[in-house]
Amino acid sequence: MDINTKALKKNAFRVTKVRGITASRVRVPGGHLPTEYMGMIKAIADEFGNGTVHITSRQGFEIPGIRYEDMPAVNERLQPIIEGLNINQQTPGKGYPSSGTRNVTACIGNRVCPYACYDTSAFAQRIEKAIFPNDLHFKIALTGCPNDCAKVRMHDFGIMGMSRPHYEKERCVGCEACVKKCRTKSVEALTFRNYKVERDAKTCIGCGECALACPTRAWTREGEKRYRLTLLGRSGKKNPRLGVDFIKWVDEESIIKIILNTYDYVKEYIDPNAPGGKEHVGYIVDRTGTEEFLKWAMRDVELPKGAEVISPLYWGGIRYR
Amino acid sequence: MMQNEYVPFFSEVKEVIRHTDIEYTFRMAYEGDVKPGQFFEVSLPKYGEAPISVSGIDEGSIDLTIRKVGKVTDEIFEHYEGDRLFLRGPYGNGFDVDTYKGKELVVVAGGTGLSPVRGVVDYFAAHPQEVKSMTLIAGFKSATDILFKKDLQRWRKVMNVILTVDSGEETKDCKVGLVTEFIPGLELSDVSKAAAVVVGPPVMMKFAAGALLKRGFAEENIWISHERKMCCGIGKCGHCKVDDTYICLDGPVFNFTKGIRLVD
Amino acid sequence: MGYYLKEREADRFLKELSADYELYAPVKMKDDGMFSDTDTVRYGKIAKASDIVFDEKSDYSFKEVLLPLSETLFFFTENQMKEADGRKKGAVIFLRSCDLHAVKRLDEIYLKNGYEDYYYKRIRENVKFVLMGCKSCFEDCFCVDMGTASADFYGLSMEPKDGGYQLDNKYAEWDGILEELCQEKLPVTPSTVTETKVRVTIPENLTLDVAKSGMWDEYDGRCINCGRCNFACPTCTCFTMQDIFYTDNGKVGERRRVAASCMVDGYTDVAGGGSYRKKNGERMRFKVLHKIYDYNKRFGYHMCVGCGRCDRICPEYISFSGCIGKLEEAQKEVENHDAE
C-alpha cells in the first residue's frame, strides 16, 4: 500500500491506528447544519465506514472505518455537504481542504438560547469564509454570552457576545429586578439610586441580564453587536493556559481583521522547524514579545467607539516543566 | 379649575409632644372638617409621604401622632424643626361618634392604635353624659411605650380606664397583661347593645374582637380600623385595596361584619 | 360616515391630525425584546399609516399614553411646589376593541372611585380613539367571552383593506378632511372577532372563599413575581409615589408616580416592616380575583377585557385564562371542604 500520509492529512483524512483504514473528518462551521446533510453523513458511514460516526470535540463528524482506496469516492459524496455548508474549497469534488486551522466552533447562540447576545453560528460562518482554507494552527471559538459555554478562553481567539445595555429612564418603574439579577448572576454593576438605576460602565460585562429581567423594556440591548475578544488560550503539552481579555466592546469587522493580521504575523515568525509546520500562536508570541505581536495584529484596525483595549496583557497557566 | 389632590399644602407645626423616643405628636395648624380616625398624607418633599391618622382635633389644629418606623417618618423626626410639614387630606371615613351615643362603649386600643381612637375617647371625655358608660382598655408593650400619659390621667376622672403593659411591674395605675385579658371581666348592663371600638396591630385586633364576641358583643356593634399601605389616599394607586374595598376610601374604619371579611 | 382612503391619502389624513394631536399606535420597536435580535410591538408615536402594526397584537398596551410608566406630578423647592406641565398637544390613540373597553376601566378608577385624578383627566380630556378592527383573533385572545370583542363607541375606526384603509368616522370635525381625501364613500363596519381559540367561563357562584383553595399553591413556585402581566395589562392602574432629589444635599426635587405591580415585592409593604401576600400564589390570587371577581362586585362589570397580553408576556408560561379555567373546580373544593 502506497499512501501519501502528508497529502491525505491535508485532505481532512486521518492516519488511524488500524492499518489500511482512515477516517473522514467533516467540519461544521459554527456547529449548526441542516438535517439533510446528516442523512448524507449517515449514508457515507453506512456505505464506506463502519456504520458509526464520532461527534468531534470541535463540532464536526468523524466517519471511521473507511478504506484508503475509498477516499476519492467519499470525497465525491462529501461534495454536496461542503457546498451546503459553504466551505471554502479550492477544487470541487476533491473533499475538504484541511487544515491546521481548526473548525470554528460556536455555542448554540441566539437562534435558540435566551442568554446569547448574537447569532454565533452565523458569525462563525463569516469567519470561516475569511480564513479557510489555512494550514496554520489557529483555534477560534464563539460563545453567545459571558457564561462561555463554548469555553472560548481555551482558544487562540475567543469571541464572547456582549449586549450593550440601553436604559430608558422614563420606562423604569423601580422594581429593581435588574439590580437583583446583576447582583446574583453577574458582576453587580447596577445600583439603585434616587429610584432609578445607575450602571457602572467599567464593571459591566454586557451579559444582558438586565434586559432579560426588565419587565417594562426600560433596559434593552442596543442593536449594534459588540464582543469581548480573548487572546491566546491553549491546551497542549507545554504550557496550557486560559486566554486573557484583549478588547471589550469590539465589533465584528475588527475581530476579523485582527485574526487575518495574526495569520500574517505567524507566517513571519513561525519556527521554520516546527513539527508538522504547526506552532501555537501563543508560543510564537512568547518568543517575539507581546509588543511585536500587537503591532502586527492591530495593523489598520479601526476600533469602534467605546471599544476598550486591555493593556498590558499577561498570561499565566500551567507549566509542566 | 380642576382640583389637584396630589399637591400638598403647608401646615405649621404648633407644638411637638414627645411621648417616647420614637413616638411624637405633632400639633398641626388646620382649619376644616375632620373626624377622628381619618388620616392625612404627611410628607417631606425629597423623602415621600406617609399616611398618619388624626389623633386629636381642636380649634384650628389637628394632632398627628407619628411613630418613627420608616424612611419618611425618620426624616420627619429629623427635620420638623422647619416648623412645618406638608399635608394632604383628610382622607378616609373616620369614626362617627354619633354611632356610639347613648351606648355602653368599650374602646380597646393597642400601641399606636390609640391615636386614631383618641379623638373618640376625647369626645366622650368631654361629653360624658352622651354615653351610658365608657371603658378604655389601652395596652402597650412596656411602661416606656405608653402614649398620651397626660390624657390617660385626665380620662381616668370621667371613665373607666384600664391601662396595661405586656410585661413589667404592676403599679396602681397600670396592670400587666394583654388587653384581651380584661375583656371577660367587663361589667356591662346589656352587652348585646354595647358598642366596641378595637384598633391596634392586626393580631391584637383579631384576638380582642374574638374576646368581645365571647363576652357577648354583637358583631355589628364592633368597629375596627385597618392599616394598609395607603399611598395616594384617594382610591387610585391600588395599594390598600382588599377584595372590593379600598381602605383609603371605604375605611380605614369598618364595622366588624365587613372588616373581618377582608382577605388580603 | 364611511370612507376608503388610499395609502397616500391616509398618510395625508394622519398628517392633518398631527397638527393638533400626537398620534400613538402599536409600532414595531426594533431590538426592544428581552432576547437579543428580537423586537416588540408597543405604543409609540407614528407619522404615517404604514407605521401602524395591524397584524400583530401589541406586547404592551395603549395605557402608557394615558398613564405614563413614570410621570412627574410636581416639582418642589424649599418653599414652593410647582405642578408639572401637561402636554401641549392632545393624543389620538389607535387601539383594538378590547382596549377601547379597557379605557372604560381606567376611567372608572381615575375619573370616579372617590376622587378625580387631576393628571389623568387633563390628558384624557384631549384624547381621541381610533378603533383598529380585528379580522381574526390572536393566539391568547379571549375577548368574545369577556364581552369586549366589539365596541360601537369608537370615534373613528380604521383598518387596512385592499392596499388602502377603510374608515368609519363619528368625529364630526374630521368629516371635512376625510371627504376631501377619500377615494370613495361607502358604509364601513369595523371587523369584529366572533370566536376565539381560548375560551373562558367565569363561574357565577364564585365567592371569596376560593382564596382558600389549594389551586393557588402551584403559582408559589411557578411565578417569578416580575410583574410583566400587570405592566402589559390595559386595565391595571396601580402606581407608587417616588420623591427624588436632583442633588445630594439640594432641596430641589420632584414627586412622581410610577406604575406598580401587585405581583412585585414591596407592593404591600407598610411602614415598620409589615407586608401582606408574601407568597406568589397569594399575589396571583389577588390579581386574578380582582380582574374577574371583586372589581365586578364593586363596579358591576369585569375588569379583565380578555386581551391575553398577560398570557403572552409571561416568561414562565403562566396562563391567566388557564387560571380562570381552574376556578370552578377550586370553588367546589372549598365548598366541599366547608360542608365536611
Side-chain angles (χ1 to χ4, degrees), chain A residues 57-117:
Chain A
S57 63
R58 292 208 66 84
Q59 298 187 325
F61 298 98
E62 186 154 337
I63 309 168
I66 296 170
R67 295 179 310 161
Y68 284 114
E69 54 265 44
D70 287 335
M71 287 191 299
V74 167
N75 275 341
E76 227 165 87
R77 297 283 289 276
L78 285 171
Q79 191 57 27
I81 302 173
I82 289 166
E83 279 168 21
L85 297 181
N86 209 9
I87 302 288
N88 283 353
Q89 187 190 33
Q90 288 113 326
T91 326
K94 298 292 180 196
Y96 272 92
S98 180
S99 176
T101 295
R102 303 302 203 245
N103 189 40
V104 182
T105 58
C107 73
I108 193 156
N110 82 355
R111 293 180 192 183
V112 174
C113 178
Y115 294 106
C117 301

Side-chain angles (χ1 to χ4, degrees), chain A residues 116 193-194 212 215 217 225, chain C residues 32 36-37 60 228 245 248:
Chain A
R193 196 169 163 273
N194 229 345
L212 285 170
R217 308 327 299 138
K225 295 282 182 273
Chain C
D32 192 60
S36 62
D37 292 334
Y60 293 82
R228 281 179 177 82
F245 41 94
D248 283 336

Side-chain angles (χ1 to χ4, degrees), chain B residues 51-90:
Chain B
I52 306 290
S53 56
V54 175
S55 61
I57 302 160
D58 216 327
E59 199 69 6
S61 77
I62 48 160
D63 289 354
L64 299 172
T65 301
I66 302 180
R67 190 181 161 89
K68 186 172 167 304
V69 287
K71 191 178 66 167
V72 181
T73 50
D74 286 356
E75 291 300 330
I76 289 173
F77 272 50
E78 289 285 311
H79 294 102
Y80 70 86
E81 318 284 315
D83 327 313
R84 51 188 192 173
L85 294 171
F86 291 91
L87 304 180
R88 295 195 288 126

Side-chain angles (χ1 to χ4, degrees), chain A residues 175-193:
Chain A
C175 72
E176 293 184 76
C178 54
V179 179
K180 286 177 199 159
K181 273 287 155 59
C182 190
R183 184 172 61 233
T184 55
K185 292 185 78 179
S186 192
V187 292
E188 214 171 336
L190 302 180
T191 45
F192 195 57
R193 196 169 163 273

Side-chain angles (χ1 to χ4, degrees), chain C residues 96-265:
Chain C
R96 297 174 189 282
S97 172
C98 55
D99 285 348
L100 200 50
H101 282 270
V103 175
K104 183 179 168 190
R105 278 83 176 150
L106 302 185
D107 288 351
E108 187 77 74
I109 297 296
Y110 277 88
L111 298 179
K112 300 172 193 167
N113 203 37
Y115 295 76
E116 259 182 7
D117 186 281
Y118 177 82
Y119 298 94
Y120 179 82
K121 192 175 179 189
R122 77 178 182 184
I123 297 176
R124 179 71 177 82
E125 280 177 338
N126 293 306
V127 171
K128 287 192 151 50
F129 295 105
V130 182
L131 175 72
M132 304 160 66
C134 294
K135 289 199 174 66
S136 61
C137 74
F138 297 100
E139 189 185 326
D140 307 295
C141 299
F142 51 100
C143 53
V144 175
D145 288 335
M146 295 312 296
T148 61
S150 66
D152 55 8
F153 47 95
Y154 56 86
L156 175 73
S157 80
M158 176 165 166
E159 61 188 85
K161 192 176 176 146
D162 306 332
Y165 298 88
Q166 62 173 18
L167 298 84
D168 184 39
N169 181 42
K170 299 180 188 178
Y171 290 125
E173 63 270 38
W174 290 352
D175 270 326
I177 176 75
L178 283 168
E179 236 162 90
E180 195 181 303
L181 291 171
C182 80
Q183 194 191 24
E184 189 188 343
K185 284 170 80 169
L186 73 177
V188 168
T189 310
S191 301
T192 300
V193 165
T194 52
E195 54 182 9
T196 58
K197 279 178 272 180
V198 172
R199 301 292 310 269
V200 296
T201 310
I202 297 166
E204 290 196 4
N205 62 343
L206 207 58
T207 67
L208 200 52
D209 287 337
V210 79
K212 291 182 221 150
S213 160
M215 73 168 274
W216 308 106
D217 298 345
E218 73 165 286
Y219 300 107
D220 287 348
R222 288 181 65 192
C223 172
I224 57 168
N225 62 56
C226 67
R228 281 179 177 82
C229 46
N230 297 125
F231 297 125
C233 175
T235 69
C236 272
T237 52
C238 289
F239 67 80
T240 296
M241 304 261 225
Q242 296 177 340
D243 269 24
I244 64 126
F245 41 94
Y246 298 140
T247 52
D248 283 336
N249 55 355
K251 313 250 176 179
V252 180
E254 65 180 70
R255 178 166 297 165
R256 64 184 167 217
R257 63 178 175 195
V258 296
S261 155
C262 57
M263 304 300 297
V264 171
D265 289 350

